[in-house]
Structures are given as structure tokens and as C-alpha cells.
Amino acid sequence: MTPLLLAILVFAGAALITVLGSIRLAGLGDVLADRTGWGEAIFGAVFFGVFTSLSGIVMTAVSAADGYPELPTWLN
């Protein structure tokens, strides 16, 4: 298997996981918005905002814990 083919397969797999996870997350968000009484728009902004920012939050926390608090500013 060539490195390019492997990279394409890994990318396609990650894309599929992202799409399936997003569909599941949208369903959960709708149910939770109904149960909490929040509107779907407000719940979506808070709920999905947290999940889309999660990678940046984790990167910042890990780099600060490793003693490199300036690292996230280099990457942005």
C-alpha cells in the first residue's frame, strides 16, 4: 500500500467518523434542547460551540501543563 493511498484511506475514515459523530451529536442536541426547555438555536450555539472549541481548549491545556503556555499563540 502506497503512502498516498494510506493517507487517503485515513482521511476518508476520519471524514466518515466526523460525519457520523455530527449526525449523532445533532440528534442528542435536539433531544437535550427539548428536555431542558432551551430553544434549539440557543442550545445549539452553546452545545456545539463547546464541542467545536474542544480541540483548542485541550491543546492549550496540554501545552500549558507541559510548560509551554506560549505554544498555542504560535499555532494560531
Side-chain angles (χ1 to χ4, degrees):
M1 181 175 297
T2 66
L4 179 61
L5 180 59
L6 181 62
I8 290 170
L9 290 175
V10 168
F11 181 79
L16 180 64
I17 290 169
T18 300
V19 168
L20 293 176
S22 298
I23 291 169
R24 176 77 174 135
L25 189 60
L28 287 174
D30 189 38
V31 170
L32 289 173
D34 291 339
R35 288 184 183 175
T36 60
W38 293 11
E40 276 88 6
I42 294 172
F43 195 84
V46 173
F47 192 61
F48 298 119
V50 168
F51 279 102
T52 56
S53 300
L54 197 57
S55 63
I57 293 167
V58 169
M59 181 186 66
T60 302
V62 168
S63 64
D66 284 344
Y68 299 102
E70 69 278 356
L71 181 64
T73 59
W74 295 345
L75 299 175
N76 288 330

